[in-house]
Amino acid sequence: EDKVVQSPLSLVVHEGDTVTLNCSYEVTNFRSLLWYKQEKKAPTFLFMLTSSGIEKKSGRLSSILDKKELFSILNITATQTGDSAVYLCAVGPNNAGNMLTFGGGTRLMVKP
Amino acid sequence: GAGVSQSPSNKVTEKGKDVELRCDPISGHTALYWYRQSLGQGLEFLIYFQGNSAPDKSGLPSDRFSAERTGGSVSTLTIQRTQQEDSAVYLCASSLKHGGAIYSNQPQHFGDGTRLSIL
């Protein structure tokens, strides 16, 4: 059974801090790993990673994948209160369906 | 519309009643997915539609759950004889078509979900 584990479960930081969120996975047929940000309702897409060692970056957020060690990290630098959310990691298989297996999420709270 | 649209946003119903949840995917997206997010849990895959192909129902938790997608666009998820454990947020996602033998990497985009509460 495919499995995605995120850590930490929750995290409280102050504005300006840098955070690293972790995602490890076990899947039988890996194709891609995705990060989403979920505030109140819809998870919003952040990154899709398919290749090891290539950093994806968007503003203060960046992410990298290690397919040998089966994990990914999501970094947020200079955190702001608007970064407070649940960050979800999901893994997609290499088949036509691409049904995602999600981790339990990391709840990040950024205090002013 | 610009994004995935789901209705209703909230639904409260009594145990034993049937409910219907609706999803309108992003225009042009032929792949549509239903997920369920229970309190404190990660998202759990329910069912997948791709174009006119038979849906993948492998994630449906029981035969009380069914879904259809008419005309390759709007989808409805139906839960019959609801139970309290069905209470959750039901999320719909859509993505661009996966092309032929080469599975393209297209991210899924989610709607705001329907929060279902069974009393």
Side-chain angles (χ1 to χ4, degrees), chain B residues 80-102:
Chain B
Q80 295 178 306
R81 306 181 302 282
T82 51
Q83 303 294 313
Q84 287 186 329
E85 62 262 27
D86 300 334
S87 297
V89 176
Y90 289 81
L91 289 158
C92 175
S94 70
S95 70
L96 287 169
K97 179 180 179 180
H98 296 271
I102 300 171

Side-chain angles (χ1 to χ4, degrees), chain B residues 25-107:
Chain B
I26 292 172
S27 178
H29 283 193
T30 56
L32 186 148
Y33 306 79
W34 283 98
Y35 292 87
R36 176 168 73 173
Q37 188 172 33
S38 303
L39 190 64
Q41 305 281 326
L43 277 77
E44 170 195 4
F45 164 73
L46 297 176
I47 188 168
Y48 157 70
F49 294 89
Q50 170 62 63
N52 295 320
S53 304
D56 182 330
K57 305 178 184 180
S58 58
L60 294 179
S62 79
D63 58 9
R64 296 185 295 104
F65 287 71
S66 63
E68 61 177 25
R69 189 179 183 194
T70 50
S73 181
V74 171
S75 175
T76 53
L77 176 70
T78 301
I79 309 173
Q80 295 178 306
R81 306 181 302 282
T82 51
Q83 303 294 313
Q84 287 186 329
E85 62 262 27
D86 300 334
S87 297
V89 176
Y90 289 81
L91 289 158
C92 175
S94 70
S95 70
L96 287 169
K97 179 180 179 180
H98 296 271
I102 300 171
Y103 304 130
S104 62
N105 291 316
Q106 300 292 341

Side-chain angles (χ1 to χ4, degrees), chain A residues 36-44 46 84-88 106-107, chain B residues 37 41 43 89 91 111-112:
Chain A
Y36 287 86
K37 177 183 181 182
Q38 186 175 28
E39 293 177 84
K40 291 184 180 168
K41 294 190 175 179
T44 54
L46 296 175
S84 297
V86 174
Y87 289 83
L88 298 168
T106 292
R107 182 174 295 278
Chain B
Q37 188 172 33
Q41 305 281 326
L43 277 77
V89 176
L91 289 158
D112 281 346

